[in-house]
Amino acid sequence: MARIAGRFSRVEPRATARAYLLGLLSHVERKNCWQLAEQAGLARPGPMQRLLRYARWDADSVRDDIRAYAVEHLGTDGGVLIVDETGFLKKGRASAGVQRQYTGTAGRIENSQVGVFLAYATSRGRTLIDRRLYLPEHSWCTDAERRRAAGIPDEVQFQTKPRLAWEMIAATLDAGVEAPWVTGDEAYGQDPQLRAALEAHGTGYVMAVACSTRVRINHGRTPIRADTVAGRLPATAWQRHSAGNGAKGPRHYDWAWIHIGTDEHRHLLIRRNRTTGELAFYLCWSPTTVTLAELVRVAGVRWSVEECFQAAKGQVGLDHYQVRNWTAWHRHITLAMLALAFLTAVAADAAPQRPTGPHHPARNSEPISLTVPEIRHLLTAVFGPPAVTAARLLHWSIWRRRHQATARQSHYQRRSANEPTG
């Protein structure tokens, strides 16, 4: 809180922000304003709701503090920026940016919001450091009344997801973060403008692309599909490398790479599953000469962002919000990112520096390093609130049920008004 205290001009929202963060780190099942207020010992959720909607503070400035905090605790050589998106399933049509759209969260088209995120990953850990709410072009950007109801600023216009990703990457690099690599999935790797912007900035990338992507081989003279290239490679072209450790040990694949175009620093990287034979393809560029092992490392780091989403949603309530407003969404997401960055930094600082190698074999009796869930569990036990009285439990039970009764009556009246007559 000392990091971000100066972002709040008044003591009341500053104290509420601290209570909000403690609630995100607590054992509360659903981390919305109601339950966070109850956890904090408040009589009403009003202070939490005002913090997200009306209080005067700049969430983007807090975002900058999170980025600096993450680099301070996780920064080391070979850092990678990862772009990806995640969905937030919603009901109704009033939440900013919501529409029926595909989201990997559900694995299908659902009524949802989509957030584009930037993660920072090093050998010390990984965490989310930036976010943008995707605003669909036709259903939102051109609907002035809908924008006004959701509190979307006039200056916010339609931008593609790759464009949002580049804005976050550029802001991070301009802030002095040393990250020589960027990676992302096909949604971002297929965008030539994003790749061109990275090259112009001198930042290397390993971006996933579709098997139908056409590349140029033979010094740029022959255009050919990526999967056709893979089918023509001799057995000697494939090398076994680990894409990093997973939950069950090293993730070994067969890898091949070839020069494409006329630039010796431009490659097509191909991954082959050793069991199923499934292929994955990456377009790669670097400002200097690199090894196959380095490209494999960066490609493997991409999965770190999925771990960030899992931890953020499961541990600090990234998707537990019940807000519709544009500003409120960014504020909740930012505070959840701060809670995740804190847990990640504690885990990184607590990790023991154990020697490795043949002269220092690992001992099965040694515990693994502290994980983000374990640290949150310990913090909850140490800093949890004192025993809640029966009177307070009853107070909140009555408040919730009265509020739900009012909401139910409103829903019934609205539905009755929309029913056809005659």
Side-chain angles (χ1 to χ4, degrees):
M1 279 304 300
R3 285 270 183 163
I4 67 170
R7 305 300 184 183
F8 301 88
S9 59
R10 299 181 60 204
V11 66
E12 293 86 358
R14 188 183 312 140
T16 304
R18 181 180 186 276
Y20 199 98
L21 281 167
L22 287 174
L24 294 177
L25 293 167
S26 72
H27 66 277
V28 173
E29 181 180 1
R30 292 294 301 174
K31 291 165 183 177
N32 52 45
C33 286
W34 290 12
Q35 296 201 19
L36 294 183
E38 182 177 4
Q39 171 74 10
L42 303 176
R44 296 286 189 276
M48 299 294 187
Q49 294 169 339
R50 284 193 296 274
L51 176 72
L52 298 185
R53 184 73 184 272
Y54 302 111
R56 297 182 62 182
W57 61 283
D58 186 0
D60 286 347
S61 296
V62 176
R63 182 270 322 273
D64 295 343
D65 294 334
I66 295 170
R67 181 174 59 210
Y69 178 77
V71 172
E72 178 182 322
H73 288 270
L74 306 180
T76 186
D77 294 338
V80 179
L81 298 177
I82 315 165
V83 292
D84 202 359
E85 62 196 58
T86 189
F88 303 90
L89 302 182
K90 303 295 288 183
K91 296 181 180 179
R93 61 186 306 273
S95 299
V98 71
Q99 72 169 12
R100 286 188 59 79
Q101 54 192 323
Y102 178 82
T103 169
T105 302
R108 59 183 182 274
I109 295 177
E110 286 284 354
N111 199 59
S112 62
Q113 296 169 299
V114 172
V116 181
F117 287 80
L118 184 68
Y120 176 64
T122 71
S123 58
R124 288 178 54 79
R126 71 278 299 174
T127 193
L128 302 173
I129 60 171
D130 206 346
R131 73 287 178 268
R132 296 287 193 280
L133 178 60
Y134 172 67
L135 197 63
E137 181 176 12
H138 300 295
S139 60
W140 276 94
C141 290
T142 59
D143 191 331
E145 182 178 352
R146 201 177 186 192
R147 290 170 59 104
R148 185 166 50 254
I152 299 172
D154 293 338
E155 62 270 19
V156 176
Q157 300 300 321
F158 173 72
Q159 290 181 300
T160 65
K161 295 171 185 176
R163 179 62 188 178
L164 294 175
W166 169 244
E167 282 190 353
M168 294 188 291
I169 294 168
T172 298
L173 296 176
D174 290 345
V177 177
E178 295 185 5
W181 292 102
V182 171
T183 186
D185 65 13
E186 289 183 19
Y188 303 92
Q190 294 286 148
D191 189 273
Q193 293 181 340
L194 175 57
R195 299 198 307 268
L198 289 169
E199 292 180 23
H201 200 282
T203 302
Y205 61 77
V206 178
M207 306 291 279
V209 293
C211 63
S212 58
T213 300
R214 299 187 71 84
V215 297
R216 289 184 172 272
I217 60 175
N218 298 328
H219 300 285
R221 294 190 297 270
T222 307
I224 189 173
R225 280 173 57 116
D227 52 0
T228 303
V229 173
R232 296 180 180 179
L233 292 175
T236 55
W238 298 93
Q239 301 179 36
R240 186 188 184 196
H241 286 277
S242 171
N245 292 331
K248 299 181 180 179
R251 296 174 293 157
H252 285 112
Y253 296 93
D254 291 331
W255 299 84
W257 63 332
I258 62 170
H259 290 291
I260 57 175
T262 59
D263 186 347
E264 64 177 359
H265 297 154
R266 196 180 304 278
H267 297 87
L268 172 67
L269 177 67
I270 308 171
R271 186 193 74 200
R272 183 175 68 188
N273 189 296
R274 297 173 59 84
T275 303
T276 65
E278 181 182 4
L279 299 175
F281 303 88
Y282 305 83
L283 291 181
C284 310
W285 180 85
S286 62
T288 59
T289 301
V290 295
T291 64
L292 172 60
E294 177 67 356
L295 295 182
V296 169
R297 180 188 74 85
V298 178
V301 168
R302 186 176 71 84
W303 294 104
S304 297
V305 71
E306 300 295 342
E307 297 174 354
C308 289
F309 289 147
Q310 183 179 6
K313 292 182 177 182
Q315 300 299 321
V316 296
L318 185 76
D319 59 343
H320 290 189
Y321 60 89
Q322 292 180 339
V323 298
R324 297 174 175 176
N325 182 270
W326 172 273
T327 298
W329 185 91
H330 285 85
R331 288 181 171 185
H332 169 83
I333 296 296
T334 301
L335 292 174
M337 286 169 47
L338 177 55
L340 177 64
F342 167 70
L343 292 175
T344 305
V346 173
D349 293 344
Q353 299 297 318
R354 293 171 178 160
T356 58
H359 301 294
H360 301 279
R363 292 179 292 183
N364 293 332
S365 60
E366 293 183 351
I368 66 170
S369 300
L370 284 166
T371 62
V372 165
E374 183 64 22
I375 289 172
R376 189 179 71 88
H377 175 73
L378 294 173
L379 287 172
T380 298
V382 174
F383 297 107
V388 180
T389 64
R392 180 162 294 279
L393 287 174
L394 288 173
H395 165 81
W396 270 98
S397 175
I398 294 170
W399 188 92
R400 282 193 298 270
R401 288 182 287 118
R402 283 177 175 168
H403 187 90
Q404 290 162 350
T406 302
R408 177 182 297 177
Q409 183 179 10
S410 176
H411 292 318
Y412 286 173
Q413 289 176 346
R414 184 166 58 251
R415 178 164 295 182
S416 298
N418 293 332
E419 287 291 331
T421 59

